[in-house]
Amino acid sequence: MLVKKSLHSLTGKLIITIGALMVVVSAVFWYFLVQRQEKELLGNSVKYGSSFLNHVKESTRHEMLAFQPLLVQQTLEMLGSGEGVINARILDAKGRIAYSSIKEKKGVLLDKNEMPCISCHSKPLERGEMPSWVVNRGKEGYRILTIVRPIHNEPACYTSACHIHPKEQKILGFIKADLSLSVLDETVKKQKIAITAFVIGFICLLSVVLCTILWKLVSVPLSMLTHGMERVAAGELNYVVEIKTKDEIGELAKAFNAMTAELSIAKEELIEWGNTLEKKVEEKTGEIKKGQAQLVHSEKLASLGRMAAGVAHEINSPLTGIVTFGHLLQKKFSEGSEERQDIDVIIEQANRCSNIIKGLLGFARATSVEKGIVNLNDVINSSLNMVSHKADFFNIKIVLNLDETMQPIIANASQIQQVFLNMIINAADAMEGKGIFTITTQKVIDNGKPFAEVIFTDTGQGISEESLPKLFEPFFTTKPVGKGTGLGLAVSHGIIQDHGGKILVRSKLGEGASFFVRLPIYEG
């Protein structure tokens, strides 16, 4: 896998930033370390120089007290021949070189700007502020340490036999030495080179480690994520980024894999939906065509109902005439006569026909949806009167268990009658014209509210478990083709829901069915 190595990449920016910080810190560390080492070495050199001056003083003390200049000069020449000693000299109080390891310098008067003369001739400086050593650059390139120590007037000096110096003189002279710092410079140079090599090696090693860490922990995982995004963008939604770390990048890879998995599932569902869409459209088109045919059939039934209503209206007039003339004939025959009994039968049957026709006219007539107080028992009796004369009910035993104390409901009587007629006709169809049909009314409590419940129970073939969930869907029917439209229960369900009630069904195949119609009781 090719990984982007541009300086504009995150890894490049991190390497440059951390590398620059490392260089700055290392440079500061190098500077202070070198300065400290040089300061320590210079301090040791000053201590060595001070020890050398003490040695010169102690070595020449006896000869000075005995006033033996030749021995002092010889001792000083011997001490000045030591390694690292450029010049050793003893000066009097006036700044004249009394003794020197270099004979040519003997008797020379020092310049006022040199140590230690500057301490006596410079007014701004006090004696206590006089520097005791100074470092200068020599002609050969190495540094020279010039160190000076005063010779104080001691009792042994002003009480000696020579008695050269008076007691009041505090400083008799100075011991001055020029010491070569070439060894120190060479050591400092080597230490600088060693420390520089160490710092450079440390930076290189740390850079390699840092680059390796950033490469493995940042650059490679980010490149894998970038490659994964490119593959997903190209449509390969099942691509998985193999990053198993438990850091933030590992969490990001886990979230990326979860996202691609969800996208893959969504894509498969979309493809499946696209593959089945045409089939579903065909199915829905078939259902719409079937529904349209059923609607046409319903319209035919509606037209037939209107025509039947018209015919019933026309038949009602002759029946009225029959009843009227029947009553007139009753007056011509005495009570108990055979003719009077025949006429009573004619009047009774004519009234029955008239009542049936009135019920049909009332059901077929378009009414408003206004609601009022309705007695369910009366609606049940009226509905049974409309269908009981049909041949389908001749071999059906109708059992009524009506609660006479049932409270009324607020409903549209015509719509409720339509629901009950549908239940009664469906029961007759399910029993195929024979069996027991039971209608029960009772009061129940549902979710803490009182309801009037009407139970329609038949002994028909029952309803399968697969059909129960679809029972109230429009155009769904279990009846043979041409016998049902599949709209009766759907319309009934809508009417009952509009009245604040519900329809429940319980059935087992081969054991009949029970429909429970619940409507809120009017408590006003």
Side-chain angles (χ1 to χ4, degrees), residues 6-304:
S6 173
L7 294 178
H8 297 288
S9 65
L10 179 61
T11 304
K13 292 179 180 178
L14 287 174
I15 291 176
I16 292 175
T17 303
I18 299 176
L21 182 62
M22 285 169 45
V23 170
V24 172
V25 172
S26 300
V28 173
F29 169 77
W30 175 87
Y31 175 77
F32 283 105
L33 184 60
V34 169
Q35 291 294 321
R36 185 173 179 276
Q37 291 290 334
E38 186 175 359
K39 186 176 180 180
E40 288 183 356
L41 291 175
L42 185 60
N44 292 333
S45 298
V46 172
K47 288 180 181 179
Y48 168 76
S50 179
S51 299
F52 177 74
L53 294 181
N54 285 334
H55 182 62
V56 171
K57 180 180 177 182
E58 295 299 328
S59 298
T60 60
R61 174 181 171 79
H62 179 73
E63 288 82 359
M64 294 285 287
L65 291 176
F67 195 65
Q68 297 178 353
L70 182 60
L71 291 176
V72 172
Q73 177 64 30
Q74 290 176 351
T75 301
L76 198 61
E77 288 179 2
M78 182 188 65
L79 294 174
S81 63
E83 184 179 2
V85 180
I86 298 176
N87 190 10
R89 68 201 85 171
I90 299 176
L91 293 81
D92 59 18
K94 295 181 180 179
R96 184 181 302 275
I97 300 174
Y99 305 97
S100 175
S101 60
I102 302 176
K103 292 182 179 181
E104 293 78 6
K105 298 291 184 178
K106 187 177 180 181
V108 176
L109 183 66
L110 294 181
D111 186 74
K112 294 181 179 180
N113 294 324
E114 293 187 32
M115 290 179 60
C117 298
I118 191 172
S119 62
C120 297
H121 296 281
S122 299
K123 293 181 180 179
L125 294 175
E126 298 293 335
R127 183 178 299 271
E129 299 175 349
M130 179 190 67
S132 61
W133 60 271
V134 68
V135 176
N136 296 311
R137 182 67 62 179
K139 294 181 181 179
E140 290 79 4
Y142 56 84
R143 291 181 297 173
I144 298 174
L145 172 65
T146 301
I147 187 167
V148 178
R149 182 170 184 174
I151 302 174
H152 296 280
N153 193 3
E154 300 177 357
C157 294
Y158 58 78
T159 59
S160 63
C162 62
H163 194 64
I164 296 176
H165 305 292
K167 181 178 179 181
E168 294 78 15
Q169 188 176 355
K170 300 296 182 181
I171 301 296
L172 301 180
F174 299 91
I175 301 176
K176 181 180 180 182
D178 294 330
L179 304 176
S180 174
L181 296 180
S182 60
V183 177
L184 173 65
D185 290 346
E186 187 67 22
T187 302
V188 170
K189 182 179 179 181
K190 291 180 179 180
Q191 285 187 346
K192 285 182 179 180
I193 294 174
I195 293 173
T196 302
F198 170 77
V199 170
I200 292 175
F202 174 75
I203 292 176
C204 293
L205 178 62
L206 195 59
S207 298
V208 172
V209 173
L210 177 63
C211 291
T212 303
I213 293 173
L214 291 175
W215 175 272
K216 291 184 176 180
L217 298 183
V218 178
S219 184
V220 172
L222 288 180
S223 298
M224 293 174 67
L225 282 171
T226 303
H227 181 69
M229 292 179 182
E230 292 174 353
R231 298 282 292 273
V232 171
E236 191 175 345
L237 298 181
N238 57 349
Y239 184 80
V240 177
V241 177
E242 297 293 341
I243 299 178
K244 303 298 183 180
T245 58
K246 297 182 179 180
D247 52 13
E248 289 80 358
I249 295 181
E251 294 295 329
L252 181 61
K254 187 183 297 182
F256 176 82
N257 293 333
M259 178 193 69
T260 54
E262 292 179 0
L263 287 176
S264 179
I265 294 173
K267 182 181 178 181
E268 291 178 358
E269 291 178 352
L270 187 60
I271 293 174
E272 183 179 357
W273 173 257
N275 293 333
T276 59
L277 181 60
E278 184 177 355
K279 182 179 179 181
K280 290 183 178 180
V281 169
E282 292 178 355
E283 291 177 356
K284 292 299 180 182
T285 302
E287 291 179 2
I288 291 173
K289 291 180 178 179
K290 182 179 178 181
Q292 185 178 7
Q294 291 172 341
L295 286 175
V296 171
H297 183 63
S298 298
E299 182 62 28
K300 289 179 180 180
L301 292 177
S303 300
L304 183 60

